[in-house]
Amino acid sequence: MLFKPITWVKKDPEKSNVFWPSDELKKRAWVNADSIYVEAAKDRVAFWAKLAREGIDWFKKWDEAYREEMPYYKWFVNGKLNISYNALDRHVKTWRRNKAAIIWVPEPLDEKERVLTYFDLSREVNKFANVLKTLGVKKGDRVGIYLPMIPEVQIAMLACARIGAIHSVVFSAFSGKSLQERMLDAEAKVLVTVDGYHRRGKQITLKTEADKGIEGTPIQKVVVVKRMGMDVNMVEGRDYWWHDLMKNADSSCEPEVMDSEDILYLLYTSGTTGKPKGVEHHTGGYAVQAYWTAKWDFDLHDEDVFWCTADIGWVTGHTYGCYGPLLCGATMLEYEGAPNHPQLDRWWSIVEKYGVSVFYTAPTAIRMFMQWGEKWPRKHNLNSLRILGTVGEPINEEAWLWYFNNIGGGRCPVIDTWWQTETGGTLINSLPGIGPFIPTVAGRSFPGTNHDVLDESGSPMNIGEGGYLVQKSPFAPGMLRNVWKNPARYKEYFSVYSEKYYTSDGARRWDELGNIRLTGRVDDVMKVAGHRLSTAELENAITSHEAVVECAVVAAPHEIKGEVPVAFVTLRSDVEPSDQLIKDLIKHVDATIGPTARPDKIVFTNELPKTRSGKIMRRILKSLVRNEPIGDTTTLMNPESVQLLKDEVGYKE
Ligand code: PRX
């Protein structure tokens, strides 16, 4: 056994499982001693400046590494670079030219994988960059990307970056209406989409959703990848096939010289209001954080095969399914389909077939595999795995240990990475060569970053105590720089505690080493199967149905998905509740947001519990679905509503 579990001083029974890296892992790791944290903390700006010099090729060096004018900050001021140059050109000049950059695995078993070497990828990106130019895309223009997990998604992203266009990727399982909302806000000029794709044995048509999403937006041109050969509607003069445009495109396109603080991409994410926000990531700092976190968190070496299972529509897909590994010159695996198609061992068969060595997924997936049983991973030789990662939501101890033992064979550290769409790259996790690896405890702040856990008044918590997680100056280089067209929402991150970035996450300081346990969101944002969802957005979607008068959505705990939305719905007086209506409401949510937002349960009620001033008491609804003590209801306008709801949700006193 490479990993020796050591026993912590058992003051607290929760602290019994603590793992440290083996000598073998330490020897191989890029970083393997605590001194890295000490060195970084001496001068964090100087530390990042050193990483920026060593990790990224700059066309022109910066004048100043960090400048802060709260709530704004800049990294590598006046530095010039191009991230696609760093992800492609610099590798193509070396022996990596014919190294696999992307191994793409289609869902149908009878289709062959596609391997794109760095040279192939570079050629495709250059060509598509020229295509975008011929479609009139210029530096600073926004390009929407609504694609599933096919290599064209990375090609399109990198092509945008090459010419300085700002990409805005929209999750392909989001509805056309969600796409439209984002494209309107981003004022995108061009959209890249697909005819359709395979998912769990089904053929999904995406072009029809894309057509809905384009309506009323400034999108003038649409590029359609032919993945399936489906018969789709193509609008003359607006829609073009990807392969037609690529046929004669020039395979060399000079990379645009980008300022370190030029916008690289927008990624819409859910906040506490009904409208998603366009998180802005800028080029230089993001490149530096993506490169070093990919390299150190996953101890990425040239011989590794890195598989991040996250969809490209989420930030994890952006940073660890595209930019990070490619900046490192790594080989990345990309899989089109579902984990359970055609059988429950599909993922493990892929790990075995391609010798995946670093595997990064979400706790929800792990819990799903746990439920399906050990026999599925056992069918496969998973000895190629060296490092396991998890992200997106708190991981429970049972799932952590199951992953560690059944997937990692007790050899591989589990790197539990805490971060957010806003932070651009990972921030709190243990490093493979340093440890410790403690189930449910993400780890320490990445070298050069600085977090704290505070109480409501802003005082730091003691070890063992829970509070609110914040990040302190200097803010990590990959952090958001703004919210697109909405600086007021950006400023909110820095207004809860002065001079600090407020994460909206609960956390507990774990030990004197600086390890931190994350305990979940403290705002009205849910993590449903790791997907970020705002209760307000879902409430808006449900109330926009003609039968609904009022609705409140709260998160209920769920064994596999972590959390699921439960919707309390008041209907118009002339509408009767029925199973059909539940189906209609779910269909309506699918069409408004997408199937990932589907409520797990819809509870019809004539009255929602309200304060005397008419405000819905979500706190009570939360307690009801969590089976927690409800507390005082005497101040309610309608305390009797609570009793009725107790019966509806099966609340046990
Ligand atoms: O609550 C935290 C949770 O996911 C939130 C961020 O969601 P999103 O922007 O979709 O980004 C997810 C992928 C980076 C956080 O506020 N979260 C993320 N990672 C962890 C986590 N909670 C606990 N442990 C984690 N490792």
Side-chain angles (χ1 to χ4, degrees):
M1 189 146 157
L2 289 173
F3 282 84
K4 298 179 211 83
I6 67 147
T7 312
W8 198 270
V9 184
K10 275 194 178 177
K11 273 189 223 146
D12 176 348
E14 278 178 305
K15 291 188 180 175
S16 56
N17 278 311
V18 178
F19 301 88
W20 295 90
S22 61
D23 291 343
E24 193 185 318
L25 195 78
K26 270 185 165 315
K27 212 158 81 197
R28 205 185 129 111
W30 292 114
V31 278
N32 58 13
D34 268 5
S35 52
I36 193 79
Y37 293 103
V38 180
E39 183 203 329
K42 271 189 213 145
D43 185 341
R44 295 187 173 90
V45 171
F47 180 78
W48 281 111
K50 181 167 172 273
L51 294 190
R53 272 194 307 275
E54 291 175 4
I56 295 295
D57 289 2
W58 299 79
F59 297 143
K60 177 187 164 289
K61 207 188 150 232
W62 55 91
D63 302 330
E64 196 182 350
Y66 182 67
R67 187 186 298 165
E68 188 178 285
E69 284 155 29
M70 286 304 289
Y72 297 102
Y73 45 90
K74 291 178 175 171
W75 278 95
F76 316 118
V77 182
N78 293 329
K80 308 285 177 198
L81 76 159
N82 184 290
I83 199 168
S84 92
Y85 176 92
N86 275 276
L88 301 167
D89 305 43
R90 64 172 175 166
H91 304 313
V92 163
K93 288 182 197 159
T94 70
W95 67 269
R96 292 195 186 94
R97 179 178 309 156
N98 287 312
K99 177 179 173 175
I102 300 179
I103 301 173
W104 177 73
V105 181
E107 190 185 77
L109 286 174
D110 56 1
E111 259 187 66
K112 263 186 80 66
E113 73 270 18
R114 262 167 84 187
V115 178
L116 282 98
T117 65
Y118 272 93
F119 206 24
D120 295 331
L121 185 61
S122 162
R123 198 166 28 236
E124 297 303 302
V125 168
N126 276 269
K127 283 167 76 176
F128 197 63
N130 282 322
V131 164
L132 289 173
K133 280 187 176 175
T134 60
L135 295 177
V137 178
K138 297 196 178 54
K139 182 177 172 186
D141 285 345
R142 274 78 60 209
V143 173
I145 300 179
Y146 188 46
L147 285 173
M149 293 297 277
I150 54 176
E152 282 76 8
V153 78
Q154 284 87 1
I155 297 170
M157 289 162 77
L158 290 162
C160 288
R162 192 157 193 92
I163 63 169
I166 300 167
H167 60 71
S168 179
V169 178
V170 177
F171 183 35
S172 57
F174 276 154
S175 65
K177 207 160 170 9
S178 286
L179 173 70
Q180 184 192 42
E181 186 177 17
R182 287 156 176 79
M183 294 299 101
L184 275 172
D185 190 75
E187 297 171 86
K189 228 174 160 174
V190 167
L191 180 73
V192 187
T193 187
V194 72
D195 55 351
Y197 59 101
H198 292 278
R199 186 79 193 175
R200 204 164 286 122
K202 287 205 191 100
Q203 302 203 356
I204 313 278
T205 315
L206 202 65
K207 181 62 168 55
T208 41
E209 284 304 308
D211 285 342
K212 287 184 212 157
I214 296 159
E215 257 171 53
T217 72
I219 292 170
Q220 293 150 18
K221 304 282 178 197
V222 181
V223 185
V224 187
V225 178
K226 192 177 248 177
R227 158 76 187 104
M228 307 294 288
M230 290 166 156
D231 187 17
V232 293
N233 169 45
M234 296 290 279
V235 177
E236 180 83 36
R238 187 196 75 179
D239 299 356
Y240 302 86
W241 287 109
W242 170 289
H243 58 269
D244 284 341
L245 296 174
M246 289 288 268
K247 218 179 297 166
N248 300 315
D250 187 349
S251 61
S252 81
C253 173
E254 273 301 301
E256 188 77 31
V257 175
M258 301 296 284
D259 189 87
S260 177
E261 288 295 339
D262 277 336
I263 304 176
L264 173 63
Y265 68 78
L266 304 181
L267 183 57
Y268 283 83
T269 190
S270 300
T272 49
T273 72
K275 205 170 137 34
K277 45 189 168 185
V279 168
E280 260 182 41
H281 285 294
H282 291 194
T283 310
Y286 177 82
V288 172
Q289 197 174 329
Y291 176 90
W292 286 102
T293 54
K295 187 162 170 149
W296 284 357
D297 293 348
F298 304 108
D299 198 34
L300 266 190
H301 287 71
D302 265 314
E303 58 275 27
D304 279 314
V305 177
F306 182 31
W307 183 11
C308 163
T309 66
D311 192 278
I312 199 76
W314 306 96
V315 74
T316 311
H318 280 58
T319 309
Y320 303 102
C322 183
Y323 289 111
L326 295 175
L327 287 169
C328 292
T331 296
M332 229 167 59
L333 193 128
E334 178 177 6
Y335 170 53
E336 177 185 38
N340 53 354
H341 186 83
Q343 290 206 96
L344 305 183
D345 62 343
R346 184 64 191 274
W347 274 10
W348 317 124
S349 77
I350 293 173
V351 169
E352 181 176 26
K353 180 162 180 196
Y354 300 97
V356 172
S357 56
V358 182
F359 183 75
Y360 189 30
T361 194
T364 290
I366 299 163
R367 290 190 291 260
M368 201 168 67
F369 281 105
M370 255 175 94
Q371 195 192 40
W372 293 340
E374 280 105 69
K375 75 170 203 202
W376 298 100
R378 280 218 192 109
K379 282 177 193 274
H380 298 278
N381 179 342
L382 304 179
N383 284 341
S384 59
L385 290 172
R386 280 196 324 114
I387 294 187
L388 302 176
T390 133
V391 60
E393 47 183 321
I395 183 164
N396 48 313
E397 177 149 22
E398 208 192 347
W400 195 105
L401 290 170
W402 188 89
Y403 192 33
F404 178 73
N405 289 316
N406 291 287
I407 305 303
R411 290 183 320 275
C412 313
V414 174
I415 310 298
D416 174 4
T417 61
W418 174 88
W419 59 299
Q420 307 176 308
T421 305
E422 290 87 342
T423 72
T426 63
L427 281 176
I428 298 179
N429 54 269
S430 303
L431 295 172
I434 303 178
F437 316 110
I438 313 171
T440 75
V441 178
R444 290 182 252 189
S445 298
F446 192 84
T449 71
N450 190 10
H451 298 89
D452 209 343
V453 181
L454 306 178
D455 69 9
E456 268 162 26
S457 70
S459 306
M461 307 307 294
N462 294 318
I463 290 168
E465 290 177 343
Y468 304 97
L469 181 72
V470 297
Q471 191 184 156
K472 298 198 281 194
S473 164
F475 302 102
M479 296 280 294
L480 82 167
R481 297 296 196 273
N482 219 331
V483 172
W484 180 251
K485 295 198 305 196
N486 204 336
R489 280 188 96 176
Y490 170 77
K491 286 177 188 157
E492 286 170 7
Y493 292 103
F494 298 91
S495 64
V496 178
Y497 295 107
S498 83
E499 314 280 295
K500 293 180 187 75
Y501 169 82
Y502 178 63
T503 63
S504 300
D505 270 309
R508 181 161 148 200
R509 291 190 56 206
W510 193 255
D511 57 24
E512 47 293 319
L513 272 180
N515 285 302
I516 294 176
R517 168 192 267 184
L518 282 307
T519 52
R521 298 286 299 199
V522 293
D523 58 1
D524 284 327
V525 167
M526 283 177 277
K527 296 300 311 237
V528 181
H531 296 156
R532 183 161 159 177
L533 188 69
S534 113
T535 50
E537 250 175 275
L538 187 45
E539 286 169 5
N540 283 356
I542 295 174
T543 34
S544 71
H545 189 278
E546 54 179 14
V548 176
V549 173
E550 198 169 44
C551 161
V553 172
V554 293
H558 188 273
E559 214 178 309
I560 306 252
K561 296 181 180 176
E563 289 185 322
V564 286
V566 173
F568 293 85
V569 174
T570 305
L571 296 171
R572 259 187 11 222
S573 56
D574 57 338
V575 179
E576 282 298 312
S578 66
D579 289 347
Q580 186 53 43
L581 185 58
I582 291 181
K583 283 189 194 136
D584 289 350
L585 286 174
I586 286 177
K587 230 166 114 187
H588 184 69
V589 169
D590 283 3
T592 316
I593 307 179
T596 44
R598 274 183 201 175
D600 187 63
K601 193 169 176 176
I602 295 179
V603 180
F604 293 118
T605 170
N606 288 334
E607 264 186 272
L608 287 161
K610 288 184 182 169
T611 60
R612 295 220 168 91
S613 58
K615 207 171 147 267
I616 300 172
M617 285 290 278
R618 285 187 174 71
R619 177 181 63 74
I620 290 180
L621 299 175
K622 274 186 201 162
S623 305
L624 277 172
V625 298
R626 291 175 196 181
N627 238 327
E628 284 168 1
I630 290 180
D632 186 17
T633 56
T634 52
T635 56
L636 290 182
M637 179 167 70
N638 51 355
E640 66 291 346
S641 63
V642 179
Q643 193 51 47
L644 293 172
L645 285 174
K646 277 184 184 170
D647 300 338
E648 286 289 333
V649 300
Y651 182 84
K652 292 176 207 78
E653 298 283 350

